[in-house]
Amino acid sequence: MTAQPEALTAGELSAEVLYDKCMFLARNLWWSWHPEVINLFRDLDPIRWRQLDHNPIALLKEFTPERLSSRAAEMVLFSRINGSVRRLKEYLNHKPNWGATNTGVLGAKPVAYFSAEFGMHESVPIYSGGLGVLSGDHVKSASGLGVPFVAIGLFYGQGYFRQHLDDDGFQREEYQHTKVEDTPLEPARGADGKPVTIQIDTRGGQLFAKVWVVHVGRVKLYLLDSNVEGNKPEDRELTSRLYGGDERTRIRQELLLGVGGVKALKALGVTPGVYHLNEGHSAFGAMEVIRERVHDDGLTFDDALREVAQQTVFTTHTPVPAGHDRFDCGLVEEHLGPLRDQLGISYEQLMGLGRVEPQNEHESFCMTVVGLKLSRSANAVSSLHGQVSCRMWAHLWPRRVEEEIPIGHITNGVHIPSWLAWQMQLLYDRHFPAKWTSSRGEPGVWQNIHHVDPGELWETHNALKNLLLAFVRRRLSRQCRRRGESEDAVEAARNVLDPNALTIGFARRFATYKRASLLLFDVDRLLETLNDRERPVQFIFAGKAHPKDEPGKQFIQRIANLRHDHRFENRIVFVEDYDINVCRHLVQGVDVWLNNPRRPLEASGTSGQKAVLNGGLNLSVLDGWWAEAYDGSNGFAIGNGKQHVSDEITDRRDAESLYSVLEERVIPTFYDRDVDGLPRKWIKMMMNSIGGLAWRFSAHRMVMDYTRASYVPAAGGLSCDMPSR
Ligand SMILES: *Cc1c(COP(=O)(O)O)cnc(C)c1O
């Protein structure tokens, strides 16, 4: 009788320890690129896991330690939990060789990476699209390689909007408040152990922000949040939405990101060796660093500017003119005025920093120009984008010829463990050299794909494709139910799409230059192609339009409403609320990834790189990364890499090329089967794509390039040319 309470106490204790171990895993986003930890969380409660957007903290909070402990016993999870905890601790305590040997000059002074959004996982919704996911992947690879690195962004309490379509197929936006206590965010503390807050003076009063920290592997990501006491009510809302509000909201957000970010680092005792401004949004940060030098070290403005520029690198992300932030000079003076006073510079000098022609009063203040002027080197994000950017900004260097414009390029890449399906990873594990993941940095490793049995690769791909179809059906039936449609319609949605049909994915922001509706250019011709009984083709679309982008919303509507057009027989479906989760399912399961932007407006694009890892073939306009990746044997090209001055003519030509490539190459190759039912030529192309492209377009390669060409030289190390391919 007396033994029982004691046993109970011991049990409770270990339940608490177990619970803490799970929380320890959940509080570092490291878990999100480790399949064994993801599966661990899923096994705790598969249904809630899905309902909670794969958020392990929210999931764990639904358990008491006792219930967690008994569930873990039932599912035999103890050793898996212990093993994962051990691996995370090892990861945190061990500095990888690459960073140790290649970043010595950085010493204790990390790279400070500023970005307006970070897309790391769907459960931390502070991103909208490509730029955010790229930043998230950059951070994860910096962690993986062991580059001394901190990241700075904003915490958007309502993130970007959630999308659903109304009965007319029109996009509706819904904003949800993120519960901070359900995220891995913690208050960032200074040396005194107190939570850090920062303040910024403007002509119209002070602006305050608190600072959160999120652990992404070995890297700390700091997020500023204006929702604090002391701020005026409208300022408390300032960081609530990503890319919401007007010009005034935007400049205040960017003031927080740049100036606030630099102040936060100072308050946290972090002294960066290099400042990386990822896109113009954070360019005010460089001005705050100049202010620090003038104030703390007594430098003149000119000397401080020169020194700070030596430490600063800038990345530009868009060849679309409207994509470059511009502000009215009055707004700039209102927000940067006090900083200008401390720098001792005139109004004209300040405005000149944001103008191509400093004296031109009619020019607005452009954040890209600030970034270019205050950095030692700048880069575009693909080779073609580099050429376009040099031309676009040549007038900033009027005495130089185009070849001498100091804008290089580092092509974007994706974080392999985040985007590679674990089923595919298991296949690679079986055929690649042991421990190949630790030598992911060696391009040669991927050539082993050619030794994989074609049938095995095809089978793995088809298993992933079936998972995608199950996901899409689940989503479509949920969409029908939400719209209050009949049980028959819900049931029909559960059965759409054919697992044997060629399946093509198209998902991205519905910005007009991405031409989501190019496929519908000639509906009759498309119908003929789709409805061949012997060789069916089906499309899965997804993507959000910016809330103010009416034409983008009309594209969505047009595509979504094809479900009412019986001629299409549900061969074109639209999945609502595109996010990292939807993207992951799509890029892991499609046969073909379609991308047809209006060249040369796609700076890089990264979603097609995610498809490569999982055996998807790209069918894309020769723009962005694909212009340098395509070699004729590793996917399909739309157009011939030329564009016409008239958009109308370009669109017609590209549409015709798209149809003929589908009809003459993609469909015949996919349906050309041997006696075993295998499409041998197709599988060969999958192997060429994986073997030749996976490493070149990975975020590890990208961060290595940044380190060698940008970070090390900016920290005073040996200069190395911007890589060109
Ligand atoms: C990868 C990704 C993107 C970027 O895709 P692009 O090819 O650049 O259009 C956008 N959104 C999400 C959710 C992603 O995961």
Side-chain angles (χ1 to χ4, degrees):
M1 286 301 279
T2 50
Q4 208 156 355
E6 265 170 41
L8 204 63
T9 318
E12 266 169 24
L13 252 183
S14 67
E16 296 287 343
V17 170
L18 188 78
Y19 194 86
D20 289 348
K21 285 185 175 186
C22 287
M23 268 298 180
F24 170 71
L25 290 171
R27 299 198 73 85
N28 188 320
L29 283 168
W30 175 88
W31 70 262
S32 69
W33 65 91
H34 288 82
E36 71 277 17
V37 196
I38 298 170
N39 290 336
L40 187 67
F41 290 135
R42 177 183 295 117
D43 286 346
L44 288 175
D45 187 338
I47 293 172
R48 289 303 287 155
W49 175 246
R50 186 178 284 162
Q51 287 168 345
L52 292 168
D53 258 347
H54 309 141
N55 180 337
I57 295 178
L59 182 79
L60 288 168
K61 282 173 61 183
E62 295 189 346
F63 282 85
T64 59
E66 292 69 31
R67 202 164 76 75
L68 184 77
S69 182
S70 74
R71 178 68 183 164
E74 187 187 348
M75 298 296 294
V76 204
L77 299 180
F78 292 114
S79 64
R80 284 165 63 192
I81 293 170
N82 283 327
S84 295
V85 167
R86 198 168 53 241
R87 278 196 60 191
L88 173 55
K89 285 188 174 160
E90 271 167 25
Y91 182 89
L92 294 175
N93 293 328
H94 162 85
K95 188 162 161 86
N97 287 338
W98 196 87
T101 38
N102 289 277
T103 62
V105 56
L106 286 166
K109 295 184 166 184
V111 175
Y113 178 88
F114 291 72
S115 186
E117 41 171 320
F118 287 89
M120 296 161 298
H121 186 262
E122 55 269 26
S123 61
V124 188
I126 53 169
Y127 66 94
S128 80
L131 182 72
V133 174
L134 179 81
S135 304
D137 281 2
H138 195 116
V139 170
K140 291 172 189 172
S141 279
S143 167
L145 290 165
V147 177
F149 201 87
V150 295
I152 297 95
L154 297 179
F155 175 63
Y156 304 99
Q158 301 177 31
Y160 200 50
F161 68 92
R162 307 294 298 258
Q163 174 198 55
H164 63 87
L165 304 188
D166 65 17
D167 295 347
D168 291 330
F170 201 71
Q171 171 176 296
R172 301 290 163 192
E173 296 104 27
E174 187 190 332
Y175 289 88
Q176 289 177 355
H177 284 273
T178 302
K179 286 194 199 135
V180 182
E181 62 278 17
D182 286 356
T183 71
L185 272 64
E186 297 163 9
R189 294 174 192 280
D192 56 4
K194 296 213 180 87
V196 167
T197 57
I198 57 105
Q199 71 182 66
I200 302 174
D201 294 328
T202 75
R203 294 275 189 241
Q206 286 179 323
L207 195 54
F208 299 90
K210 60 185 166 191
V211 186
W212 301 101
V213 61
V214 192
H215 297 269
V216 189
R218 302 179 182 94
V219 172
K220 291 191 176 89
L221 164 61
Y222 296 107
L223 299 170
L224 280 80
D225 180 354
S226 73
N227 187 12
V228 289
E229 272 170 44
N231 271 337
K232 296 185 210 113
E234 66 268 28
D235 287 337
R236 294 190 69 154
E237 296 284 315
L238 194 56
T239 54
S240 56
R241 295 178 181 186
L242 176 54
Y243 303 138
D246 54 9
E247 200 182 346
R248 194 183 161 75
T249 310
R250 268 213 334 273
I251 196 170
R252 290 169 86 76
Q253 285 189 341
E254 296 184 12
L255 185 73
L256 273 183
L257 175 64
V259 175
V262 170
K263 284 178 184 284
L265 290 177
K266 178 132 189 170
L268 288 159
V270 178
T271 311
V274 177
Y275 295 88
H276 184 171
L277 311 175
N278 187 44
E279 190 51 298
H281 307 120
S282 56
F284 290 144
M287 296 171 62
E288 171 64 14
V289 187
I290 296 173
R291 191 200 61 79
E292 280 182 357
R293 292 294 148 78
V294 169
H295 182 266
D296 300 353
D297 306 338
L299 296 185
T300 65
F301 172 73
D302 289 333
D303 287 343
L305 187 150
R306 213 169 304 120
E307 283 198 11
V308 171
Q310 280 308 312
Q311 275 186 285
T312 305
V313 298
F314 174 63
T315 303
T316 177
H317 285 270
T318 175
V320 183
H324 296 269
D325 258 334
R326 287 178 184 280
F327 294 116
D328 170 79
C329 293
L331 274 179
V332 176
E333 171 63 14
E334 181 191 338
H335 292 97
L336 277 286
L339 194 149
R340 168 171 88 72
D341 294 343
Q342 291 197 37
L343 290 173
I345 60 172
S346 68
Y347 176 88
E348 287 73 25
Q349 261 178 304
L350 172 63
M351 298 313 150
L353 291 174
R355 289 177 181 150
V356 176
E357 294 171 54
Q359 318 298 338
N360 183 354
E361 287 175 19
H362 302 293
E363 221 185 296
S364 55
F365 187 94
C366 176
M367 297 299 276
T368 307
V369 174
V370 182
L372 290 169
K373 286 192 178 182
L374 297 186
S375 57
R376 74 194 311 277
S377 67
N379 71 282
V381 292
S382 71
S383 168
L384 180 60
H385 179 223
Q387 291 166 28
V388 173
S389 299
C390 284
R391 221 169 301 143
M392 196 165 170
W393 298 107
H395 46 308
L396 262 179
W397 294 274
R399 280 187 292 278
R400 298 195 190 181
V401 295
E402 207 173 295
E403 290 70 48
E404 292 169 358
I405 304 298
I407 304 178
H409 77 272
I410 294 174
T411 305
N412 287 342
V414 295
H415 183 242
I416 293 174
S418 293
W419 296 105
L420 176 61
W422 61 267
Q423 294 88 336
M424 202 50 91
Q425 157 120 29
L426 285 184
L427 174 90
Y428 297 160
D429 286 347
R430 286 198 294 276
H431 296 278
F432 289 14
K435 298 230 169 78
W436 71 276
T437 46
S438 58
S439 49
R440 254 197 281 257
E442 291 162 28
V445 167
W446 291 89
Q447 289 305 320
N448 288 294
I449 190 68
H450 293 284
H451 305 311
V452 172
D453 174 59
E456 208 179 324
L457 179 59
W458 189 241
E459 191 179 273
T460 307
H461 166 66
N462 280 306
L464 288 165
K465 182 169 165 182
N466 281 321
L467 288 175
L468 166 63
L469 296 195
F471 171 77
V472 171
R473 289 168 173 168
R474 209 158 53 228
R475 283 299 190 99
L476 293 180
S477 59
R478 196 172 87 190
Q479 290 170 202
C480 285
R481 186 163 296 129
R482 215 213 40 247
R483 282 192 290 256
E485 293 179 10
S486 68
E487 268 313 304
D488 284 352
V490 176
E491 187 54 33
R494 276 205 203 97
N495 291 298
V496 294
L497 303 177
D498 170 1
N500 296 311
L502 171 62
T503 302
I504 302 181
F506 180 104
R508 48 187 50 82
R509 280 186 304 125
F510 270 58
T512 31
Y513 78 86
K514 297 198 184 226
R515 299 189 299 188
S517 58
L518 190 74
L519 185 69
L520 303 177
F521 194 88
D522 181 346
V523 168
D524 292 331
R525 184 161 174 192
L526 176 65
L527 277 167
E528 242 172 74
T529 311
L530 295 195
N531 288 338
D532 181 339
R533 296 277 157 225
E534 302 293 306
R535 305 187 304 177
V537 183
Q538 59 199 10
F539 287 86
I540 305 170
F541 277 82
K544 295 174 176 176
H546 187 276
K548 290 184 181 143
D549 179 7
E550 284 299 313
K553 290 186 188 178
Q554 283 163 16
F555 278 9
I556 291 177
Q557 190 174 29
R558 186 154 177 234
I559 290 163
N561 283 347
L562 293 177
R563 69 196 190 95
H564 301 307
D565 185 336
H566 65 273
R567 294 175 302 169
F568 281 94
E569 301 177 18
N570 279 322
R571 290 196 194 286
I572 299 185
V573 299
F574 187 91
V575 178
E576 294 176 8
D577 205 29
Y578 184 49
D579 69 351
I580 286 177
N581 181 38
V582 175
C583 184
R584 199 188 302 110
H585 279 92
L586 284 169
V587 297
Q588 293 180 352
V590 293
D591 297 308
V592 171
W593 191 249
L594 171 65
N595 189 18
N596 46 229
R598 195 174 282 140
R599 193 179 193 266
L601 298 184
E602 183 82 290
S604 167
T606 53
S607 52
Q609 304 168 346
K610 303 169 190 167
V612 163
L613 301 173
N614 296 289
L617 291 182
N618 281 275
L619 164 60
S620 173
V621 167
L622 291 168
D623 196 10
W625 78 282
W626 190 237
E628 58 203 83
Y630 175 69
D631 71 358
S633 76
N634 56 8
F636 307 95
I638 302 167
N640 55 5
K642 297 211 169 68
Q643 64 258 10
H644 197 273
V645 283
S646 148
D647 284 351
E648 219 181 299
I649 296 176
T650 305
D651 290 359
R652 174 158 356 104
R653 286 185 184 166
D654 285 350
E656 271 163 16
S657 170
L658 168 58
Y659 296 131
S660 49
V661 175
L662 274 174
E663 290 158 7
E664 290 157 26
R665 298 211 42 219
V666 182
I667 298 170
T669 315
F670 183 82
Y671 283 107
D672 178 10
R673 305 295 168 104
D674 70 3
V675 287
D676 300 322
L678 294 181
R680 293 272 170 182
K681 288 201 200 94
W682 188 275
I683 295 171
K684 183 74 191 156
M685 288 176 86
M686 288 166 72
M687 290 176 170
N688 291 340
S689 165
I690 296 166
L693 305 178
W695 165 250
R696 264 177 76 196
F697 298 98
S698 69
H700 270 45
R701 188 276 307 150
M702 170 179 76
V703 172
M704 287 174 168
D705 282 352
Y706 273 105
T707 302
R708 289 191 281 242
S710 289
Y711 300 158
V712 166
L718 274 183
S719 186
C720 146
D721 281 344
M722 197 70 72
S724 53
R725 290 192 165 77

